[in-house]
Amino acid sequence: MAAEKESFSTTSHRRAERWSLRGMTALVTGGTRGIGHAVVEELAELGATVHTCSRKEAELNDRLKEWEAPGLRVTGSVCDIASREQRVELMQRVSSLFDGKLNILINNVGTNIRKPTSDYTSEEFSFLMNTNFESAFHLCQLAHPLLKASGAGSVVLISSVAGVVAMNSGSIYAATKAAMNQMTKNLACEWAKDNIRTNSIAPWYIRTSFVEQLLQQEEFTQSVISRTPLRRVGEPEEVSSIVAFLCLPAASYITGQIISVDGGMTVNGFYPTHD
């Protein structure tokens, strides 16, 4: 009987460890608002030590104070992810903080300029490509040795449904997100030998400051809801929970996936129809 109790206790302990991030380190870019903010809190509440960044120092300091109150282990630094030099500085700081090892990288930063394809300037094209895709690509490059050194690395890229199906969000934005999705598949295969998993989350419309002005337009919001089987806009926590799962030891055999967070909106790559 004693042996059975010990065996059950051991099994329960191992199962608990598979659903915990205790002892792990994470970098979440753009963690002061929206999806990034929710991801920082989710990872920290699961036990991870998290570093995040923002372009806005005052906003970053406010968030750090909020996280300090409940005892979450979160640090932060000011960084414009669109700057190559600042990306290098960010990763040097992360390496110093975490002794050259990193378990989790969340590429969350992104922006958009909505206009017809024929109206984009070359400067706007370069800006969107750099901010959305090149920054994520470069951070993955910089993080690779740290992720490899951890012995169990996980990269999650915050993409978009726009990278999976055609939608009225701007062709360049869509192209950057599609590129992130393809990079996810390539890195999953290339870095598997280093025990680094790579997955992508492709959200539909989520209630954040990124789309706040659009969602204030009743007609626009109704058009979004009409294309969403769950008939509502998503919340940041409904994305962060999936991000966190992909980082857990429980997801140790999941890699190379592009997971749409849209209430089933993308069915075989097309919008579903409604009566």
Side-chain angles (χ1 to χ4, degrees), residues 40-66:
V40 168
E41 291 194 346
E42 192 99 34
L43 298 184
E45 287 170 357
L46 285 168
T49 301
V50 182
H51 187 78
T52 190
C53 62
S54 171
R55 290 182 295 113
K56 301 179 179 180
E57 184 174 11
E59 185 172 275
L60 175 63
N61 289 336
D62 287 343
R63 296 295 87 75
L64 291 175
K65 289 178 182 178
E66 290 177 9

Side-chain angles (χ1 to χ4, degrees), residues 10-62:
T10 301
T11 300
S12 297
H13 178 69
R14 288 176 180 172
R15 184 175 293 112
E17 287 183 336
R18 287 178 55 75
W19 294 95
S20 171
L21 294 177
R22 191 168 302 280
M24 296 191 188
T25 58
L27 169 61
V28 181
T29 61
T32 59
R33 59 176 65 182
I35 292 173
H37 180 273
V39 170
V40 168
E41 291 194 346
E42 192 99 34
L43 298 184
E45 287 170 357
L46 285 168
T49 301
V50 182
H51 187 78
T52 190
C53 62
S54 171
R55 290 182 295 113
K56 301 179 179 180
E57 184 174 11
E59 185 172 275
L60 175 63
N61 289 336
D62 287 343

